[in-house]
Short mmCIF file of all heavy atoms in Angstrom, two decimals:
data_model
loop_
_atom_site.label_atom_id
_atom_site.label_comp_id
_atom_site.label_asym_id
_atom_site.label_seq_id
_atom_site.Cartn_x
_atom_site.Cartn_y
_atom_site.Cartn_z
N PRO A 292 -6.88 7.55 16.71
CA PRO A 292 -6.17 7.66 15.47
C PRO A 292 -5.26 8.94 15.31
O PRO A 292 -4.25 8.85 14.66
CB PRO A 292 -7.24 7.67 14.38
CG PRO A 292 -8.50 8.16 15.14
CD PRO A 292 -8.36 7.63 16.51
N ARG A 293 -5.61 9.97 15.97
CA ARG A 293 -4.79 11.16 15.90
C ARG A 293 -3.41 10.94 16.44
O ARG A 293 -2.43 11.21 15.85
CB ARG A 293 -5.46 12.38 16.66
CG ARG A 293 -4.61 13.59 16.65
CD ARG A 293 -5.24 14.74 17.41
NE ARG A 293 -5.40 14.46 18.81
CZ ARG A 293 -5.94 15.34 19.74
NH1 ARG A 293 -6.29 16.50 19.33
NH2 ARG A 293 -6.00 14.99 21.01
N ARG A 294 -3.40 10.35 17.64
CA ARG A 294 -2.11 10.05 18.27
C ARG A 294 -1.30 9.07 17.41
O ARG A 294 -0.04 9.19 17.29
CB ARG A 294 -2.37 9.51 19.67
CG ARG A 294 -1.03 9.16 20.43
CD ARG A 294 -1.39 8.79 21.87
NE ARG A 294 -2.09 9.84 22.56
CZ ARG A 294 -2.53 9.66 23.80
NH1 ARG A 294 -2.42 8.54 24.45
NH2 ARG A 294 -3.22 10.72 24.39
N LEU A 295 -1.94 8.01 16.91
CA LEU A 295 -1.26 7.03 16.11
C LEU A 295 -0.65 7.70 14.83
O LEU A 295 0.44 7.33 14.42
CB LEU A 295 -2.26 5.89 15.69
CG LEU A 295 -2.75 5.07 16.81
CD1 LEU A 295 -3.80 4.08 16.31
CD2 LEU A 295 -1.65 4.32 17.51
N LEU A 296 -1.44 8.56 14.18
CA LEU A 296 -0.89 9.19 12.93
C LEU A 296 0.22 10.16 13.27
O LEU A 296 1.17 10.30 12.45
CB LEU A 296 -2.03 9.94 12.19
CG LEU A 296 -3.11 8.99 11.64
CD1 LEU A 296 -4.32 9.79 11.11
CD2 LEU A 296 -2.50 8.22 10.46
N VAL A 297 0.13 10.92 14.37
CA VAL A 297 1.24 11.79 14.69
C VAL A 297 2.54 10.94 14.98
O VAL A 297 3.59 11.29 14.44
CB VAL A 297 0.86 12.60 16.02
CG1 VAL A 297 2.08 13.35 16.52
CG2 VAL A 297 -0.26 13.58 15.63
N ILE A 298 2.44 9.97 15.81
CA ILE A 298 3.59 9.16 16.14
C ILE A 298 4.18 8.47 14.94
O ILE A 298 5.41 8.54 14.74
CB ILE A 298 3.25 8.10 17.21
CG1 ILE A 298 2.85 8.77 18.57
CG2 ILE A 298 4.38 7.02 17.43
CD1 ILE A 298 2.34 7.86 19.57
N SER A 299 3.35 7.89 14.11
CA SER A 299 3.83 7.16 12.97
C SER A 299 4.50 8.03 11.97
O SER A 299 5.54 7.76 11.30
CB SER A 299 2.74 6.33 12.28
OG SER A 299 1.75 7.18 11.81
N SER A 300 3.97 9.26 11.79
CA SER A 300 4.60 10.27 10.84
C SER A 300 5.97 10.69 11.21
O SER A 300 6.89 10.67 10.45
CB SER A 300 3.70 11.52 10.67
OG SER A 300 2.41 11.15 10.17
N VAL A 301 6.08 11.00 12.51
CA VAL A 301 7.41 11.41 13.08
C VAL A 301 8.41 10.26 13.04
O VAL A 301 9.59 10.50 12.67
CB VAL A 301 7.22 11.96 14.47
CG1 VAL A 301 8.60 12.30 15.11
CG2 VAL A 301 6.41 13.28 14.49
N LEU A 302 7.91 9.10 13.45
CA LEU A 302 8.81 7.97 13.46
C LEU A 302 9.28 7.55 11.96
O LEU A 302 10.47 7.24 11.82
CB LEU A 302 8.07 6.74 14.02
CG LEU A 302 8.91 5.49 14.30
CD1 LEU A 302 10.03 5.82 15.32
CD2 LEU A 302 7.99 4.36 14.87
N ALA A 303 8.42 7.75 11.05
CA ALA A 303 8.84 7.48 9.63
C ALA A 303 9.91 8.48 9.19
O ALA A 303 10.92 8.06 8.57
CB ALA A 303 7.65 7.64 8.68
N GLY A 304 9.68 9.76 9.48
CA GLY A 304 10.71 10.74 9.13
C GLY A 304 12.11 10.51 9.72
O GLY A 304 13.08 10.55 9.03
N TYR A 305 12.08 10.22 10.97
CA TYR A 305 13.36 10.02 11.69
C TYR A 305 13.95 8.65 11.41
O TYR A 305 15.18 8.42 11.42
CB TYR A 305 13.21 10.23 13.16
CG TYR A 305 13.19 11.73 13.45
CD1 TYR A 305 12.05 12.48 13.51
CD2 TYR A 305 14.42 12.46 13.65
CE1 TYR A 305 12.03 13.84 13.76
CE2 TYR A 305 14.44 13.84 13.93
CZ TYR A 305 13.28 14.53 13.91
OH TYR A 305 13.24 15.88 14.15
N GLY A 306 13.10 7.66 11.04
CA GLY A 306 13.59 6.41 10.63
C GLY A 306 14.49 6.45 9.32
O GLY A 306 15.56 6.00 9.25
N PHE A 307 13.91 7.22 8.38
CA PHE A 307 14.73 7.51 7.20
C PHE A 307 15.90 8.47 7.47
O PHE A 307 16.95 8.30 6.80
CB PHE A 307 13.87 8.06 6.08
CG PHE A 307 13.06 7.02 5.30
CD1 PHE A 307 11.74 6.78 5.54
CD2 PHE A 307 13.70 6.33 4.31
CE1 PHE A 307 11.09 5.75 4.88
CE2 PHE A 307 13.07 5.30 3.55
CZ PHE A 307 11.71 5.05 3.90
N GLY A 308 15.70 9.36 8.38
CA GLY A 308 16.78 10.27 8.74
C GLY A 308 18.03 9.54 9.23
O GLY A 308 19.13 9.90 8.95
N LEU A 309 17.75 8.44 9.96
CA LEU A 309 18.90 7.61 10.48
C LEU A 309 19.74 6.97 9.43
O LEU A 309 20.86 6.57 9.63
CB LEU A 309 18.39 6.58 11.48
CG LEU A 309 17.79 7.12 12.83
CD1 LEU A 309 17.15 5.97 13.55
CD2 LEU A 309 18.89 7.74 13.63
N THR A 310 19.17 6.84 8.22
CA THR A 310 19.92 6.28 7.09
C THR A 310 21.19 7.02 6.72
O THR A 310 22.12 6.44 6.20
CB THR A 310 19.01 6.19 5.83
OG1 THR A 310 17.77 5.61 6.14
CG2 THR A 310 19.67 5.36 4.70
N ALA A 311 21.28 8.30 7.17
CA ALA A 311 22.44 9.10 6.90
C ALA A 311 23.65 8.54 7.63
O ALA A 311 24.79 8.81 7.22
CB ALA A 311 22.21 10.55 7.38
N PHE A 312 23.48 7.68 8.67
CA PHE A 312 24.50 7.24 9.49
C PHE A 312 24.82 5.69 9.15
O PHE A 312 25.70 5.12 9.77
CB PHE A 312 24.14 7.30 10.95
CG PHE A 312 23.86 8.72 11.40
CD1 PHE A 312 22.52 9.09 11.59
CD2 PHE A 312 24.87 9.64 11.60
CE1 PHE A 312 22.26 10.40 11.95
CE2 PHE A 312 24.57 10.94 12.01
CZ PHE A 312 23.21 11.35 12.14
N ALA A 313 24.18 5.14 8.11
CA ALA A 313 24.38 3.76 7.74
C ALA A 313 25.55 3.57 6.88
O ALA A 313 25.78 4.36 5.94
CB ALA A 313 23.09 3.22 7.07
N GLY A 314 26.35 2.54 7.22
CA GLY A 314 27.52 2.23 6.39
C GLY A 314 27.76 0.82 6.09
O GLY A 314 28.77 0.38 5.51
N SER A 315 26.75 0.00 6.45
CA SER A 315 26.82 -1.44 6.20
C SER A 315 25.41 -1.96 5.95
O SER A 315 24.42 -1.30 6.36
CB SER A 315 27.46 -2.15 7.39
OG SER A 315 26.57 -2.15 8.51
N VAL A 316 25.30 -3.13 5.38
CA VAL A 316 23.93 -3.71 5.07
C VAL A 316 23.19 -3.86 6.44
O VAL A 316 21.98 -3.64 6.44
CB VAL A 316 24.02 -5.07 4.38
CG1 VAL A 316 22.72 -5.70 4.21
CG2 VAL A 316 24.74 -4.85 2.97
N GLY A 317 23.86 -4.27 7.42
CA GLY A 317 23.21 -4.49 8.75
C GLY A 317 22.61 -3.19 9.26
O GLY A 317 21.52 -3.18 9.78
N VAL A 318 23.34 -2.11 9.23
CA VAL A 318 22.86 -0.88 9.69
C VAL A 318 21.73 -0.28 8.75
O VAL A 318 20.77 0.26 9.31
CB VAL A 318 24.00 0.23 9.82
CG1 VAL A 318 23.44 1.57 10.31
CG2 VAL A 318 25.08 -0.33 10.77
#
Side-chain angles (χ1 to χ4, degrees):
R293 179 179 64 177
R294 181 174 301 175
L295 296 174
L296 290 170
V297 170
I298 293 172
S299 62
S300 299
V301 174
L302 190 60
Y305 281 90
F307 277 98
L309 290 172
T310 310
F312 303 100
S315 67
V316 174
V318 179

